[in-house]
Amino acid sequence: MRYYKFLTRGGAGPFSGKHWTTDWLHEPDIVPCERGLHACRVTDLPYWLHEELWQVELDGPVTVIGRKVLAPRGRLSVRVDAWDAGAAESFARSCIGRVASHAAYECSELDDGSLRDVAQHLTDPQSSTWVTADVRELALNRQEAAARAGRLIAARVCGLLVDAVDMAGEYPVAALGYVAARAAQTRPPSAEGDRYDAERRWQAAWLSERLELS
C-alpha cells in the first residue's frame, strides 16, 4: 500500500512541526498523535489537506489508527506535484458545488433548478469559473424560502452553502471539505449509509483521480 503525507511549504508536519526529508526518521516509542511517524492512505487525504503532498515510505509495523497510519520509521519518497494551487482551488470549488448539490436535493420543491445548475457547474472538472456573489444571494434566498416553509433541514443546508461561499479563498481548503461533509450529514439519514462518510469518500475519489494516485 502507498502512504502519503501533507506538509507545510518547506517540508514540516502541520501539527508536529517535524521536518521530513528523504533520509529515514526514527521514532521507535510511538504514541498516537504524540510520537511516531504519522501518514495517511488515499482514503484519508481529505482530512489532512495542506500545502505540499508527498508519497512516503514507512518501515516497521504500520498501524491504522482512525483516519491515519503510524509507524516508527519514515521518509519522503516522491512529491505529488499535481497537488498545487490550481488543484487546491478546483477541489475547493468542487466542494462548494457539492454543498449546492445537497441544497438542491433538499430544496427541490422550492427551487427552479438554479441550485442544481450551480452544483453541476462548480463540480464540472472542465469549469474554471469561481463562485460569485450571485451564488451567495441564491443560497440566502432559498434559505429564507425554506425557513418560511418550515423546511428546517433545507434551510440549514442552504445556510452551509452561504458559509462555504463566504469561506472561499479565506479559509484553508480543508475547511471547505469539512463544510461539504457537514452539509451531507445535515440531510436526513440514508439507507445507503452515513452521508458524512460518503461525502468524504467522494472527496478522496476526487483527489485520487485528479492527482493520479493509487
Side-chain angles (χ1 to χ4, degrees), residues 10 20-21 30 46 49 55 76 94 110 113 139 143 162 169 176 192 208 210:
W20 285 62
T21 70
I30 61 176
L49 299 172
Q55 183 179 325
L76 299 181
S94 293
L110 304 170
Q143 181 185 32
V162 175
L176 288 166
E192 298 178 0
S208 178
R210 172 66 182 256

Side-chain angles (χ1 to χ4, degrees), residues 9-213:
R9 192 171 292 109
F15 299 97
S16 68
K18 185 186 287 86
H19 281 272
W20 285 62
T21 70
T22 53
D23 295 326
W24 286 103
L25 296 171
H26 305 263
E27 288 202 8
D29 299 323
I30 61 176
V31 176
C33 300
E34 293 184 19
R35 294 193 302 274
L37 285 304
H38 295 78
C40 66
R41 303 156 295 179
V42 169
T43 53
D44 306 319
L45 289 174
Y47 298 91
W48 306 108
L49 299 172
H50 218 278
E51 294 167 322
E52 295 183 3
L53 176 60
W54 289 77
Q55 183 179 325
V56 299
E57 294 182 54
L58 300 178
D59 188 40
V62 178
T63 305
V64 177
I65 303 173
R67 300 182 178 106
K68 57 184 176 290
V69 297
L70 182 60
R73 284 166 39 93
R75 66 178 178 181
L76 299 181
S77 176
V78 179
R79 182 171 177 179
V80 181
D81 291 325
W83 179 251
D84 57 14
E89 181 178 289
S90 183
F91 178 78
R93 185 171 58 245
S94 293
C95 287
I96 296 173
R98 291 288 293 178
V99 181
S101 177
H102 293 302
Y105 276 107
E106 295 305 317
C107 292
S108 58
E109 299 174 3
L110 304 170
D111 187 53
D112 59 0
S114 297
L115 286 171
R116 183 195 62 232
D117 292 344
V118 167
Q120 290 177 346
H121 178 71
L122 292 178
T123 55
D124 183 350
Q126 304 302 317
S127 171
S128 60
T129 305
W130 196 237
V131 293
T132 66
D134 291 342
V135 176
R136 188 179 193 278
E137 183 177 353
L138 172 65
L140 283 170
N141 178 279
R142 298 299 183 265
Q143 181 185 32
E144 182 179 352
R148 287 200 305 267
R151 300 283 298 276
L152 299 184
I153 290 177
R156 291 192 191 106
V157 179
C158 288
L160 287 169
L161 180 55
V162 175
D163 291 341
V165 172
D166 288 344
M167 292 166 65
E170 300 295 330
Y171 283 74
V173 64
L176 288 166
Y178 173 74
V179 172
R182 284 299 308 274
Q185 185 182 43
T186 300
R187 296 181 59 196
S190 168
E192 298 178 0
D194 186 278
R195 290 189 186 274
Y196 184 97
D197 289 342
E199 190 66 26
R200 289 302 202 176
R201 289 195 299 272
W202 184 93
Q203 294 170 16
W206 188 100
L207 291 165
S208 178
E209 181 177 356
R210 172 66 182 256
L211 306 180
E212 299 182 352
L213 304 178

